[in-house]
Amino acid sequence: ASSATVTTSTSTATPAGGAGPYTYAWTLISSSGGDTPTINNPSFASTSFSKPNVADGQTFTAVFRCTVTDVYGSTASDDITATFENFGSEIA
């Protein structure tokens, strides 16, 4: 069995309302186990997430929150769930 670092596709926060420019802050809320996942671009609208040492056949989930702040200091946040799955050596 082998393990790998699994990186998700990109997630993008799209503010509706408020006034730009906006700032973005992604944070980890919870993780289902294994090594702690990382946020690859924690202060940008778009980011992906990575989790190291995911063994063949393992699946983990993590919840991340993006808090957006507008030019006047108003904030809004939303949570997303990311799935990290190592499909292993399915291709011979």
Side-chain angles (χ1 to χ4, degrees), residues 59-79:
T59 301
F60 294 104
T61 59
V63 178
F64 297 93
R65 177 172 293 151
C66 184
T67 301
V68 180
T69 305
D70 79 356
V71 70
Y72 300 112
S74 295
T75 61
S77 63
D78 201 6
D79 296 352

Side-chain angles (χ1 to χ4, degrees), residues 25-61:
W26 290 91
T27 54
L28 173 65
I29 302 301
S30 65
S31 179
S32 66
D35 290 354
T36 302
T38 57
I39 303 162
N40 296 319
N41 294 298
S43 59
F44 291 87
S46 294
T47 190
S48 59
F49 310 98
S50 296
K51 187 171 184 73
N53 299 317
V54 179
D56 285 352
Q58 274 190 319
T59 301
F60 294 104
T61 59

